[in-house]
Amino acid sequence: MNRCRRFLGARIGAALLVAGAPCGAQAQLSALVAVEPTAKKAAHTILRGAAESGLSKAAGQSVTVSTSEDLSDVMRATRSAGFDIFIGPPQVAASALQRGYELVGATQKSDRYLLVGAQQIDALGAMKGRRLYLPQQDSVYTYMARGMLNEAGLSFQDLRSVQYEKFPQAGLTALALGSADATVVREDEWAEWSAAHPKTARVLATSQPVPGGFSVVVKKDLPAETRGKLAQWFGTSSTGVGLPAVAVKPESTEYKRLAELGLFTPSSLPGVNRVSAKEARDLLARGATLVDTRTEKEYKAKRIRGAVFAAYVEKSLKDVAFNAAQDDFQSLDKVPQLDKAKPVIFACNGAECWKSYKAAKVAAAKGFTSVHWLRGGLPEWDENGLPTEGG
């Protein structure tokens, strides 16, 4: 594979051309240290020259190291596999792990994040029309905010404003001064601040664990021997260049969950009754209709026994504030046995599939009076050993 390439990044400066041996000779490796605004101090302790020397010695070939504070550029680099090694906050690793990288580990134990609001805001759902303070858009804090709002059936579009700044700790100050209604902080940050500012704010939502500190990933297509040597260096020798030892191995599910934040459907849908697979089975036994909103190919291959087909052709954003006018659900009108006064259940491919969520919402808007949503879809039905057909 040709590793002679450029990385265009506003904060890196001019385009980085991996130098050294010409294309066709022994390839150089490249590493990027991605700096979360909140971890700038920690990143500045990393000695770039010493890191290049240490990594080059460990890998047995030249390694160039660059840094960036522009997380949007960094995330684009993960999507294009722009570097052999990424050292950065967990959302960078989460993105890279979906695109041909493997995890070396993290430098700190996992954290939880809290969405905290002014004292008068009594629930996350009351954030509609409010002001939210966050760091830059690709910050891990922003990922957590999007996910927690999404779980409550809200999106950033439902807020009065989202203010992006560099330092999340300043969000607590903005909240205390009344210039913001809510912000996202780490659990330990909140513990210290709330003790000093009692009755100023309250916790509205708490995240699942998120890998802490820096996470390190390397390309899977590097030789196994090279990957092993790099992993050993990060685990034992990186402290000499200012990077804490990569001694923690977070669960892969933590990265997967982080990558999916904001992409999963909410846990509830106002005006629609969310049902489990067994509840859906019971409704079917009492005469309800289950509508499979997936593609025709998926429907024919395998489906819930008795499901009828009505594809939801999705073009709008996977967001609670989606624009139904951009989608096509005319197929619902062509299902002959549907009665707007009788129970109807919508399902697709599980919690990450938005088609059934959107279909249920559209059906309720069309006047269906007993709309049910099987969020777990076919996967949950299968897990419960319930009957399927097709194939």
Side-chain angles (χ1 to χ4, degrees), residues 89-92 94 140 143-144 210-211 253-262:
Q91 72 274 23
V92 172
V140 66
Y143 269 63
M144 304 317 297
V210 177
T253 53
E254 293 185 18
Y255 290 101
K256 185 175 186 292
R257 188 165 55 232
L258 182 58
E260 292 167 343
L261 280 177

Side-chain angles (χ1 to χ4, degrees), residues 143-228:
Y143 269 63
M144 304 317 297
R146 184 182 296 114
M148 287 186 277
L149 285 169
N150 199 36
E151 276 292 308
L154 296 174
S155 78
F156 285 171
Q157 295 181 51
D158 291 311
L159 304 180
R160 174 179 162 189
S161 64
V162 179
Q163 179 183 353
Y164 292 105
E165 300 292 348
K166 284 194 173 181
F167 305 106
Q169 293 85 349
L172 291 168
T173 302
L175 202 157
L177 294 174
S179 59
D181 297 308
T183 190
V184 174
V185 293
R186 291 201 319 268
E187 196 168 36
D188 58 349
E189 295 167 341
W190 167 251
E192 181 180 349
W193 188 87
S194 60
H197 302 81
K199 298 183 179 180
T200 302
R202 67 173 70 197
V203 176
L204 300 177
T206 303
S207 78
Q208 294 292 319
V210 177
F214 288 102
S215 290
V216 177
V217 295
V218 299
K219 273 190 173 177
K220 286 181 180 178
D221 65 4
L222 293 177
E225 183 181 4
T226 301
R227 284 183 277 126

Side-chain angles (χ1 to χ4, degrees), residues 239-324:
T239 53
V241 304
L243 178 69
V246 180
V248 179
K249 197 70 175 281
E251 295 289 336
S252 60
T253 53
E254 293 185 18
Y255 290 101
K256 185 175 186 292
R257 188 165 55 232
L258 182 58
E260 292 167 343
L261 280 177
L263 297 181
F264 267 44
T265 54
S267 57
S268 62
L269 174 55
V272 170
N273 182 34
R274 177 184 161 186
V275 294
S276 67
K278 291 182 178 178
E279 289 169 333
R281 175 200 60 191
D282 295 342
L283 282 167
L284 287 171
R286 295 197 297 268
T289 300
L290 190 145
V291 178
D292 189 323
T293 61
R294 301 175 302 155
T295 65
E296 186 175 10
K297 181 179 179 181
E298 290 173 316
Y299 176 79
K300 288 181 176 179
K302 185 178 182 180
R303 59 187 178 271
I304 292 170
R305 183 183 293 173
V308 300
F309 172 64
Y312 190 97
V313 182
E314 183 183 33
K315 294 183 180 179
S316 64
L317 293 174
K318 299 179 188 296
D319 189 284
V320 294
F322 73 97
N323 182 359

